[in-house]
Amino acid sequence: MHGRQTCWVHATAASPSGQEVYSNFDQRLRAEEHVLTSSTASHTPLHLVTEGTYEHWLREQPESRRAWLRGIGFDPKDRKMAHLPSLTPDSDRHEALVAIESMEGPWAVAGLPSTLPPGSYALRPGPGRQAPDWEATASLAWALERYSFLRYKDEAARKAATAPRRLVVPPSPAQEEAGLLAAAIYLARDLINTPAEDLTPAHLAAEAEALAAAHPGASLSVVSGDDLLHADSFFPMVHAVGRAAACPPHLLDLRWQPAPQSASLPLLVLVGKGVTFDSGGLDIKPAAGMRLMKKDMGGAALVLGLAHVIMQAQLPVRLRVLVPAVENAVGPASFRPGDVLRSRAGRSVEVGNTDAEGRLILADALAAAGEGAAGGAGAAPDLVLDAATLTGAARVALGAELPALFTDDEAAAAGLAAAAAATGDPLWRLPLHAPYAHALRSPVADLLSCPEGGGLGGAITAALFLKEFAPAESPWVHLDTMGWNLKPRPGRPEGGEALALRAIWAFLKTRYCGADGGRGAEGGR
């Protein structure tokens, strides 16, 4: 362990520093257990109809089947399932008719797995035109509905939750991509759902190490503790925010390129806020405000999940992922309101409130993002995107289900909006309203971290603060997300969530592979 502090963890795997920490990245790929890619596996066909398509479907069925459904009084308005007798008298093949509300949108069939008995199934959409890659979208929704976080459950609960309800789908590039997205979202959900006792900055470093080890061409470097103050690895605001915790602050720097000869590819930098628990620091939160703060590393979880998809799909980019990982704790070494901190960028920052810590650690990481250190002689990134569970103000403005998007780059804004609409993974753009920057003036430092008393427009002033450190020569996108589902919905259980991951991936595919979404640095995998 670098630095002087001690980090107490539960041990099952080794971190980059040699400390034993928990890491189960491979288990997170269990998303693949719920969707079987096969053209021959046995299964129960599920005929899907809506209230509007049922009569059309019924007319196409044999009289024996129509009579059966009339006899049992099947009504698609009830949204129920009916077992269908075999059309071949000597066959024991079972089929079922399922009435759903709509065939539209990414969550159309997401509720099905929870209503079905254990078994293997295949979807048979009824009459009507289906969207391109509808089956892949449905399989992703199926896998996401089957997610469960069972690390702390007993054997009986594990067995009940994991009884197989598998969807059988034909192989295709779209299905492969759906599997990647499911695995990435499982990874992010698991990280966010893990309690802070078992997901310290050191644990998060080990998770990033496991991710890098799973992808050829990837490497991870970690700086922690007092080494964050060394001239050659200078992240002073990351150090200040995390120095009071039992586990010292870490800066994770993951780099990947698809092939040794790919140094000319565009550089994509992802930055994720990794506050593994946020007490608020000396400006301590009330109990209710602290209850879900294990999720304050939701931005880190999002970019690590996204990195898995990028690397596995061989997106033609050079990738760098920066995660400042800290616990914002109370102790003798806590940073204080009114402290003036040095930053990696050289600007001084007066601390307005210790509970606005996320922007401080992101500022150091964003400064590093623009330094061209990930390859190429001083090459500026083609795109810098940061994600963070940053402000309650964004939730007041947009609610828990709609991440706030900030950027001055019109092409990126339009691309992300189009991707969000196409994937049903919504974002909403808020303005970087320059006049609000006056709230960040400090009488004693170059910048004030947050307005006195909180102020109005808090999501905007937080984004404006980050803009001061983002590389001016590169397009920059900031995402302020909840990282959590407050209530269960089909495909989206209560708990940690990788909001906007699907939209960002669709945007990146279009940006780096063209409008056709062609995959891979060499045309696919």
Side-chain angles (χ1 to χ4, degrees):
M1 177 62 63
H2 300 290
R4 295 192 298 265
Q5 294 170 304
T6 300
C7 179
W8 299 100
V9 296
H10 300 299
T12 62
S15 76
S17 64
Q19 183 120 15
E20 292 295 311
V21 296
Y22 180 87
S23 177
N24 66 344
F25 173 75
D26 289 339
Q27 295 179 41
R28 297 206 174 85
L29 302 185
R30 68 187 184 278
E32 298 172 0
E33 298 174 2
H34 304 305
V35 178
L36 175 63
T37 302
S38 171
S39 300
T40 59
S42 61
H43 59 267
T44 299
L46 300 177
H47 298 271
L48 304 179
V49 296
T50 66
E51 186 177 346
T53 65
Y54 175 62
E55 290 299 330
H56 186 172
W57 177 87
L58 191 64
R59 287 194 298 270
E60 296 177 346
Q61 304 306 305
E63 174 56 30
S64 61
R65 184 165 280 179
R66 294 199 298 268
W68 168 266
L69 291 167
R70 286 194 298 268
I72 64 173
F74 183 83
D75 187 341
K77 294 179 183 178
D78 295 334
R79 310 279 189 264
K80 291 184 178 179
M81 179 177 69
H83 292 283
L84 298 175
S86 173
L87 297 177
T88 306
D90 59 350
S91 172
D92 60 356
R93 179 181 174 90
H94 298 285
E95 299 186 29
L97 176 65
V98 182
I100 61 177
E101 182 175 355
S102 171
M103 298 291 290
E104 303 296 325
W107 309 111
V109 303
L112 283 182
S114 299
T115 67
L116 296 168
S120 295
Y121 302 90
L123 302 179
R124 300 288 184 264
R129 185 178 178 182
Q130 308 305 325
D133 295 330
W134 180 89
E135 198 161 33
T137 300
S139 72
L140 175 58
W142 184 288
L144 296 181
E145 171 69 10
R146 294 291 290 135
Y147 171 85
S148 53
F149 184 67
L150 301 170
R151 180 173 172 182
Y152 303 97
K153 294 289 188 178
D154 62 23
E155 189 60 31
R158 287 170 179 259
K159 186 175 181 179
T162 56
R165 293 170 178 84
R166 185 177 293 110
L167 184 66
V168 179
V169 296
S172 71
Q175 290 291 355
E176 182 183 357
E177 181 178 64
L180 289 181
L181 289 169
I185 293 169
Y186 271 47
L187 168 62
R189 287 176 175 179
D190 274 2
L191 290 173
I192 299 168
N193 284 329
T194 301
E197 177 72 9
D198 290 327
L199 194 75
T200 64
H203 290 108
L204 197 55
E207 298 289 355
E209 181 182 45
L211 179 62
H215 295 283
S219 62
L220 179 75
S221 63
V222 179
V223 183
S224 67
D226 291 345
D227 287 355
L228 291 162
L229 299 178
H230 292 178
D232 58 349
S233 54
F234 191 55
F235 293 88
M237 292 202 292
V238 177
H239 180 271
V241 172
R243 68 194 182 198
C247 187
H250 287 55
L251 190 285
L252 319 181
D253 190 346
L254 186 153
R255 308 181 192 208
W256 171 85
Q257 59 186 39
Q261 65 272 24
S262 57
S264 62
L265 291 175
L267 173 61
L268 169 64
V269 183
L270 305 177
V271 180
K273 174 186 169 184
V275 178
T276 59
F277 190 81
D278 183 17
S279 69
L282 292 179
D283 289 313
I284 196 165
K285 294 177 183 288
M290 213 182 296
R291 178 64 179 86
L292 291 181
M293 282 300 101
K294 68 178 183 180
K295 78 174 184 67
D296 213 19
M297 38 60 65
L302 175 61
V303 299
L304 291 173
L306 189 59
H308 170 62
V309 183
I310 290 168
M311 293 186 288
Q312 189 69 21
Q314 295 281 292
L315 193 70
V317 297
R318 291 174 295 132
L319 176 66
R320 187 181 190 191
V321 181
L322 290 161
V323 174
V326 302
E327 179 180 347
N328 187 18
V330 176
S334 294
F335 74 117
R336 297 162 287 266
D339 280 356
V340 175
L341 306 179
R342 294 179 295 163
S343 72
R344 183 179 179 89
R347 307 188 73 181
S348 59
V349 177
E350 182 183 8
V351 177
N353 189 301
T354 63
D355 196 21
E357 82 298 331
R359 66 197 69 187
L360 300 175
I361 64 173
L362 286 172
D364 271 357
L366 285 170
E371 294 168 3
D382 180 74
L383 177 68
V384 176
L385 186 149
D386 79 71
T389 51
L390 200 64
T391 67
R395 308 288 72 78
V396 171
L398 300 177
E401 299 170 10
L402 191 56
L405 170 70
F406 294 88
T407 184
D408 276 338
D409 189 88
E410 295 303 322
L416 282 161
T423 57
D425 196 11
L427 299 163
W428 195 263
R429 189 181 184 187
L430 293 180
L432 286 161
H433 187 54
Y436 286 179
H438 70 81
L440 302 176
R441 295 172 185 163
S442 166
V444 297
D446 297 324
L447 287 168
L448 180 66
S449 65
C450 60
E452 297 290 346
L456 301 176
I460 297 174
T461 54
L464 289 170
F465 178 84
L466 295 180
K467 185 182 177 183
E468 295 288 331
F469 298 89
E473 66 277 14
S474 301
W476 165 66
V477 173
H478 165 57
L479 191 72
D480 191 336
T481 179
M482 176 73 172
W484 192 266
N485 292 322
L486 290 174
K487 60 182 180 181
R489 293 169 292 157
R492 293 150 291 180
E494 181 180 353
E497 188 58 279
L499 296 165
L501 186 149
R502 293 180 296 113
I504 297 170
W505 168 242
F507 162 70
L508 294 175
K509 271 202 311 175
T510 299
R511 185 179 182 94
Y512 296 113
C513 300
D516 63 352
R519 299 180 61 211
E522 298 176 359
R525 286 169 60 88

